[in-house]
Amino acid sequence: MVIQWFPGHMAKATREVKEKLKLVDIVFELVDARCPLSSHNMYLDEVVKDKKKIIIFNKIDLCDRKETVKWKNYFENKGYVVVYTDAKNSNNLNKVIDKAKEELAEKIARQVAKGIKPRAIRSMVIGVPNVGKSTFINKLIKKNVANTANKPGVTKKQQWLKLNKDIELLDTPGILMPKFDNQEIGKKLSLIGSIKDDITPLDDVSLYLIELLKNNYLENLNNHYKLNVKAEDENLTIMEKIAEKRFKKIGGDYDYDSTIKLLIQDFRTQKFGLITLDNYNEIVNNEESYED
Ligand code: G4P
């Protein structure tokens, strides 16, 4: 089963985002720090064109920092400004405002030189579902303004929130779904909750999680399930070992369904520790296939 990456309502949401982008000076793209490339919209530059952009690695509290540093360099080498945040705990949010002001300082100085009184900088947040867009807005504004259950395609009157005297933020984040064919990206987006479980082949996703864990975080995997598996072991064999440890057999067979759910739940509740799904070396050595 192939995941349906780009459901119809996403096309409508993308059109709406493009409309709103016309109103802003700078865009904050939130990505999940556990997979900054997979949750980044590869068409951002096409969509956003000449606007300033800041890539915000949110959920920095959940990722493997060794990998994060490599990804930060990767994006910076492509000309992006990168800021790390933990929106849930309001960490580093002011840095985003400072960076935005820095990025627009030249434009503002030019206006001042021409005798134009600059208006407040206008900004908006965009990103794939579940990267923390609403949390980011609410924590930044210190109120619950952005509805965490916001739905793509549901329009409402937009409002500008004042972050300080120089900068305003659109109250509704733009939900952008990357359009791509790469199934690995899709499986990662499923693990971070960007794609709904009911349109996802969770068996494939959980076997893929085993693959990533055994290759890059074998000790975490073994410690959590008290196993002694090796990176050479088949993914299915590892799944069966987990099933054996955790669930009773059903009619003589492993309880695959419960094991699949357990694996995904354990990832989403950080039972494996600080994990980054986008492994820098693996992806950069294989970049062409990633970009299709
Ligand atoms: P979205 O608008 O981009 O769809 O994301 P949203 O703000 O709804 O956040 C999705 C989930 O991610 C929420 O958890 C939120 O608390 C969590 N989150 C946001 N930013 C961070 C962060 O920097 N670190 C961590 N660890 N979590 C973050 P939830 O379980 O769905 O809701 P709740 O139980 O927290 O209310």
Side-chain angles (χ1 to χ4, degrees):
M1 179 179 155
V2 173
I3 307 174
Q4 160 75 334
W5 301 124
F6 204 69
H9 68 273
M10 283 296 173
K12 184 163 182 264
T14 304
R15 276 199 303 278
E16 283 174 17
V17 171
K18 284 186 181 167
E19 280 306 304
K20 287 182 189 157
L21 282 170
K22 292 180 185 157
L23 308 172
V24 305
D25 306 299
I26 189 159
V27 172
F28 302 139
E29 190 199 21
L30 256 72
V31 296
D32 188 314
R34 293 169 295 176
C35 52
L37 188 66
S38 299
S39 57
H40 161 63
N41 191 292
M42 291 179 192
Y43 301 96
L44 183 68
D45 290 327
E46 275 169 44
V47 176
V48 180
K49 295 220 176 65
D50 46 351
K51 310 272 172 185
K52 296 276 183 187
K53 299 168 223 65
I54 296 184
I55 306 252
I56 298 169
F57 284 21
N58 191 41
K59 308 202 183 184
I60 196 72
D61 53 312
L62 305 181
C63 67
D64 171 356
R65 286 290 189 106
K66 287 196 303 297
E67 289 294 319
T68 312
V69 172
K70 296 179 197 167
W71 285 117
K72 182 172 188 279
N73 288 336
Y74 171 93
F75 279 105
E76 285 177 346
N77 287 336
K78 289 190 182 271
Y80 292 105
V81 174
V82 175
V83 180
Y84 298 161
T85 57
D86 163 3
K88 193 170 180 172
N89 296 299
S90 300
N91 280 335
N92 228 22
L93 300 183
N94 285 334
K95 182 84 178 275
V96 177
I97 299 181
D98 294 345
K99 280 279 177 202
K101 282 162 71 176
E102 228 175 278
E103 284 298 292
L104 287 156
E106 231 177 80
K107 185 178 169 187
I108 292 169
R110 275 203 306 273
Q111 289 175 337
V112 172
K114 283 188 200 156
I116 305 167
K117 187 174 178 284
R119 58 158 174 75
I121 296 169
R122 291 194 155 171
S123 61
M124 86 177 274
V125 171
I126 63 171
V128 299
N130 216 41
V131 288
K133 297 178 296 300
S134 305
T135 310
F136 177 86
I137 295 174
N138 290 333
K139 295 286 183 172
L140 204 54
I141 207 80
K142 301 188 184 75
K143 277 192 233 158
N144 264 12
V145 284
N147 180 1
T148 31
N150 61 66
K151 295 274 185 300
V154 178
T155 37
K156 66 170 180 109
K157 197 171 165 292
Q158 65 222 6
Q159 285 178 28
W160 294 98
L161 309 166
K162 252 192 159 359
L163 298 183
N164 66 25
K165 70 177 182 16
D166 305 316
I167 180 157
E168 294 175 348
L169 178 72
L170 200 61
D171 68 337
T172 322
I175 302 165
L176 268 188
M177 212 55 201
K179 206 176 175 190
F180 50 76
D181 300 322
N182 184 316
Q183 291 284 306
E184 291 189 7
I185 298 180
K187 287 173 196 166
K188 289 173 188 169
L189 290 176
S190 158
L191 285 167
I192 64 164
S194 290
I195 296 175
K196 287 201 163 57
D197 285 351
D198 54 8
I199 59 159
T200 309
L202 293 178
D203 46 354
D204 284 356
V205 173
S206 60
L207 286 168
Y208 183 60
L209 175 64
I210 292 178
E211 168 94 12
L212 292 174
L213 291 171
K214 76 173 189 187
N215 287 339
N216 305 318
Y217 301 98
L218 185 63
E219 209 182 315
N220 306 41
L221 177 68
N222 274 328
N223 285 348
H224 179 59
Y225 294 121
K226 299 192 171 48
L227 297 173
N228 192 17
V229 298
K230 297 184 183 58
E232 303 79 69
D233 292 344
E234 297 283 338
N235 299 336
L236 186 61
T237 310
I238 297 177
M239 182 181 277
E240 288 169 349
K241 289 198 168 149
I242 298 168
E244 205 158 18
K245 282 257 172 189
R246 294 295 184 97
F247 302 104
K248 284 201 177 86
K249 284 192 170 177
I250 304 171
D253 210 350
Y254 296 112
D255 184 350
Y256 291 105
D257 283 348
S258 301
T259 313
I260 288 165
K261 285 194 195 117
L262 176 76
L263 271 154
I264 292 173
Q265 185 62 15
D266 282 354
F267 171 75
R268 291 180 182 161
T269 51
Q270 288 83 51
K271 296 291 191 305
F272 305 113
L274 303 177
I275 299 289
T276 290
L277 300 172
D278 279 344
N279 182 274
Y280 181 83
N281 291 342
E282 261 168 35
I283 291 174
V284 187
N285 289 335
N286 204 4
E287 195 162 23
E288 262 170 44
S289 79
Y290 226 74
E291 277 180 351
D292 64 15

